[in-house]
């Protein structure tokens, strides 16, 4: 490996040199950045992109919670409003979504309040997705989430069949 212009990491192979910039080879850029950090070679670090990537890590964790919360609410709505179609796969999805949300929060306790912040927005996404089922119009589902977050995340709770 060679250091090239502007701190690019270059790899020689088969007579050509490949530059590993942030956009050209992300994995190689990560490896190089980690190496530079370990060696405390601060002046060679692509600081602008490193800051962006660190910020994106936080966004990724929040996105994971919102995505799993939407999936969880979708299957809770289907469980409640389509009892004749209930299946083990729906139950597995409900259980897995709860587990995934808990895992993210265990890794990042500062996100504990994030599901509450996202409940209504995730519910609206789940409601629209549930209404994509041909036999159920969107009007069947309440306009606002009728489940408390505590129940949604409770591993022993499932909604009762709607009347």
């Amino acid at each position: 490996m060679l250091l090239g212009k502007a701190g690019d990491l270059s790899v020689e192979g088969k007579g050509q040199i490949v530059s590993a910039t942030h956009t050209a080879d992300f994995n190689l850029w990560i490896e190089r950045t980690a190496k530079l950090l370990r060696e405390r070679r601060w002046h060679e670090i692509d600081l602008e992109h490193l800051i962006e990537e660190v910020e994106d890590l936080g966004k990724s964790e929040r996105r994971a919670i919102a995505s799993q919360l939407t999936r969880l609410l979708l299957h809770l709505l289907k469980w409640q409003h389509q009892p004749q179609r209930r299946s083990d796969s729906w139950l597995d999805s409900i259980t897995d979504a709860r587990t995934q949300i808990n895992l993210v929060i265990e890794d990042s306790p500062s996100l504990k309040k994030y599901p509450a912040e996202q409940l209504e927005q995730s519910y609206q996404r789940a409601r629209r997705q549930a209404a994509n089922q041909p036999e159920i119009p969107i009007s069947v589902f309440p306009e606002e989430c009728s489940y408390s977050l505590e129940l949604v995340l409770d591993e022993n709770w499932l909604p009762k069949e709607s009347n």
Side-chain angles (χ1 to χ4, degrees), residues 11 42 59-60 65-66 76 110 113 128-130 144 160:
V11 179
W42 314 121
K59 289 177 189 173
S60 176
I65 288 175
L76 291 174
S110 64
K113 294 180 181 178
R128 285 189 302 273
Q129 289 176 23
E144 293 183 8
K160 292 186 167 75

Side-chain angles (χ1 to χ4, degrees), residues 21-65:
T21 64
H22 180 258
T23 54
D25 187 331
F26 184 66
N27 188 63
L28 197 53
W29 177 84
I30 289 173
E31 290 174 8
R32 175 183 184 271
T33 301
K35 181 179 189 301
L36 293 173
L37 287 167
R38 269 190 231 87
E39 295 172 358
R40 293 172 168 64
R41 292 165 51 191
W42 314 121
H43 62 284
E44 296 179 49
I45 294 172
D46 178 359
L47 195 55
E48 180 182 330
H49 286 116
L50 180 58
I51 291 167
E52 287 176 17
E53 293 305 325
V54 170
E55 289 172 341
D56 284 349
L57 288 173
K59 289 177 189 173
S60 176
E61 294 296 294
R62 289 188 300 273
R63 206 173 307 119
I65 288 175

Side-chain angles (χ1 to χ4, degrees), residues 62-124:
R62 289 188 300 273
R63 206 173 307 119
I65 288 175
S67 175
Q68 292 298 334
L69 188 56
T70 300
R71 180 169 69 118
L72 173 55
L73 290 164
L74 169 64
H75 284 93
L76 291 174
L77 283 171
K78 290 166 75 171
W79 188 270
Q80 181 175 14
H81 295 279
Q82 294 180 302
Q84 71 284 2
R85 297 191 61 205
R86 288 179 183 168
S87 67
D88 287 344
S89 69
W90 285 2
L91 203 50
D92 290 344
S93 184
I94 289 167
T95 301
D96 184 59
R98 286 173 171 154
T99 299
Q100 295 304 317
I101 291 168
N102 286 327
L103 287 172
V104 172
I105 292 171
E106 282 176 19
D107 286 345
S108 300
S110 64
L111 293 175
K112 186 174 181 145
K113 294 180 181 178
Y114 193 69
E117 295 169 15
Q118 287 298 302
L119 182 63
E120 195 57 41
Q121 196 172 12
S122 291
Y123 175 77
Q124 293 306 322

